[in-house]
Amino acid sequence: MPQPTRRLSFPPRTEFFKVLQKRINDYFDQNQVKQTGNSWLYFKAFFAFSLYIGGYIGLVFFAQTWLSGILFALMLTNGMILVAFNVMHDGAHGSFSSKKWVNWLAGASMDLLGSSQTLWQQKHNMLHHTYTNITGKDDDIELGLLMRFSPHQTWHPWHRFQHIYAPFLYSLLTLFLAVFSDFYKLVTNRISDTPLQKRKWWELPYFTFTKIAYIGYALILPMFFHPISLVLLYFFCIHFFFGFILSLVFQLAHTVDLTEFPKENEQNKMCYDWAEHQLRTTANFAIENPLVRFYTGGLNQQVEHHLFHKVSHIHYYSLSKIVQETCLEYDMPYHKNNSLTSAVLSHFRFLKQMGRKPTLTN
């Protein structure tokens, strides 16, 4: 039986966020730039799709040896990752372009990669970005009995080892979305304890078509040119690498030993206003590393992203100074790990901490 929907509320937004919003708007006005993408973002999209399409064509039609197969598979997988981070994510948030139809096409690259843009928008845009790190509302921290991402989740003995088996589960993410999770959400008509929004008439046929099309080009077509066992091997290996990178990057922003997991009071009200909630539950990493910024599509700067998700990621580095200075002025937290390595270590320390049996308190 589905659990009842919890309707949570946040206190009114404070002066901090009003001031920060004005300073961000002033930045764009003074520099006369749009908050959406520009030629740099479109170059990144072209580069990502070039790797993706080139890797696919090479792997299916030209790979004849193990070496060429591995090289084309790496091209394809990294193209998929770059498309997801740099194109799909901005498009689904409506920040890729000032044109709505362009954003829809960019977001639809998620359908091309095997999942569903419409489900992602409710799971990610609405729930995750509103109820970040809130148990039962943020689906990103809900892995059932397998993982414990919050001190408010039930502990089980096998969680002692979650920092060891987590990489294996992370590698299953995109495969899990493509073949199970998306269907499960449609059948149950809910994400965690929140019912799905009413769907438009075309969404179910479109969902069905894109799922069939994905299986067709990712599995069936290659089987006309290569042995079935080899196609399945590459298919699963590509998804394992794809899923691991996507999972890890998103986890480094919210499940580290810097972030908090706020809980509502008995009246279903949160302690902090929405903006402070985002600051307390989100962390940046390696923001001075241009390669990390390029590869992750700005997802290493999720503080700026969560506060201004309608702004394209290409602006986050420029905005970070404004956000940090305003946080300092208003005594607000601004969590960050200075390097990718420190962020990964912080995440696995957090997993180990959550895996310990909670101490009973009176």
Side-chain angles (χ1 to χ4, degrees):
M1 187 174 182
Q3 52 187 316
T5 301
R6 293 148 60 210
R7 302 188 182 278
L8 307 183
S9 62
F10 292 90
R13 298 192 181 184
T14 62
E15 180 187 1
F16 159 76
F17 193 58
K18 295 175 184 177
V19 170
L20 180 59
Q21 277 185 311
K22 184 179 185 307
R23 291 175 179 176
I24 295 299
N25 289 334
D26 287 346
Y27 166 84
F28 285 107
D29 291 339
Q30 291 165 9
N31 290 278
Q32 297 184 328
V33 293
K34 296 188 300 182
Q35 297 188 13
T36 52
N38 57 17
S39 57
W40 175 239
L41 178 60
Y42 304 145
F43 166 76
K44 293 180 76 177
F46 174 78
F47 179 74
F49 275 110
S50 295
L51 276 183
Y52 178 40
I53 297 171
Y56 176 82
I57 292 174
L59 185 61
V60 174
F61 300 107
F62 295 100
Q64 298 295 327
T65 65
W66 279 103
L67 179 59
S68 62
I70 291 172
L71 290 176
F72 283 127
L74 286 173
M75 278 182 61
L76 171 59
T77 311
N78 280 285
M80 293 165 68
I81 293 167
L82 288 170
V83 167
F85 286 157
N86 292 273
V87 182
M88 180 281 293
H89 191 244
D90 273 35
H93 276 290
S95 64
F96 187 86
S97 168
S98 57
K99 295 180 174 61
K100 189 174 180 179
W101 68 270
V102 176
N103 284 319
W104 189 89
L105 284 178
S109 59
M110 188 164 198
D111 302 300
L112 185 67
L113 297 174
S115 191
S116 167
Q117 175 185 196
T118 54
L119 289 175
W120 168 269
Q121 286 181 339
Q122 182 165 349
K123 164 188 163 63
H124 182 78
N125 296 10
M126 295 179 58
L127 296 179
H128 171 67
H129 272 265
T130 304
Y131 305 112
T132 313
N133 279 8
I134 298 178
T135 303
K137 298 297 286 187
D138 183 359
D139 195 57
D140 283 11
I141 60 169
E142 301 294 333
L143 261 71
L145 302 177
L146 296 175
M147 299 282 291
R148 185 171 183 256
F149 281 132
S150 165
H152 309 302
Q153 293 172 338
T154 304
W155 178 86
H156 295 284
W158 52 85
H159 291 152
R160 291 191 180 97
F161 310 104
Q162 67 177 7
H163 61 289
I164 298 173
Y165 62 73
F168 170 73
L169 292 182
Y170 291 170
S171 69
L172 299 177
L173 170 67
T174 55
L175 197 60
F176 180 70
L177 288 172
V179 303
F180 176 76
S181 179
D182 290 344
F183 295 96
Y184 181 78
K185 288 177 174 62
L186 282 182
V187 170
T188 60
N189 199 43
R190 60 199 307 116
I191 298 174
S192 294
D193 74 349
T194 305
L196 291 177
Q197 289 183 311
K198 186 177 181 180
R199 290 181 291 278
K200 298 175 182 177
W201 68 267
W202 56 266
E203 288 186 333
L204 186 58
Y206 175 77
F207 175 89
T208 305
F209 170 77
T210 55
K211 287 291 185 181
I212 293 173
Y214 176 72
I215 295 299
Y217 90 81
L219 274 175
I220 297 176
L221 179 61
M223 288 178 181
F224 285 97
F225 301 92
H226 302 281
I228 294 176
S229 58
L230 195 61
V231 171
L232 291 174
L233 174 64
Y234 274 90
F235 177 79
F236 284 114
C237 287
I238 286 170
H239 262 293
F240 292 159
F241 185 62
F242 183 32
F244 176 76
I245 297 297
L246 259 64
S247 290
L248 186 62
V249 167
F250 280 106
Q251 296 298 348
L252 297 184
H254 301 292
T255 53
V256 292
D257 54 13
L258 300 171
T259 54
E260 300 178 23
F261 293 80
K263 187 175 175 61
E264 72 274 18
N265 62 23
E266 293 179 356
Q267 289 75 43
N268 284 337
K269 294 182 178 179
M270 303 304 300
C271 298
Y272 313 110
D273 80 297
W274 175 84
E276 184 173 354
H277 179 92
Q278 299 306 315
L279 291 170
R280 291 181 177 275
T281 57
T282 309
N284 287 348
F285 64 92
I287 64 176
E288 298 299 332
N289 188 321
L291 181 59
V292 172
R293 292 202 306 268
F294 181 91
Y295 191 78
T296 64
L299 288 173
N300 64 319
Q301 293 190 250
Q302 291 242 26
V303 171
E304 288 73 24
H305 173 59
H306 269 251
L307 291 173
F308 303 101
H309 64 271
K310 288 293 185 181
V311 174
S312 173
H313 76 266
I314 58 172
H315 302 296
Y316 293 162
Y317 184 69
S318 299
L319 301 183
S320 61
K321 184 178 180 181
I322 301 172
V323 177
Q324 289 185 70
E325 288 176 349
T326 310
C327 285
L328 183 62
E329 181 181 339
Y330 282 86
D331 195 27
M332 289 288 181
Y334 186 92
H335 300 311
K336 62 179 178 178
N337 281 296
N338 291 328
S339 68
L340 176 60
T341 301
S342 63
V344 171
L345 292 175
S346 177
H347 172 61
F348 281 93
R349 282 197 304 269
F350 170 80
L351 289 182
K352 197 168 184 178
Q353 177 187 344
M354 287 296 100
R356 296 191 184 104
K357 185 175 182 179
T359 303
L360 295 177
T361 57
N362 293 325

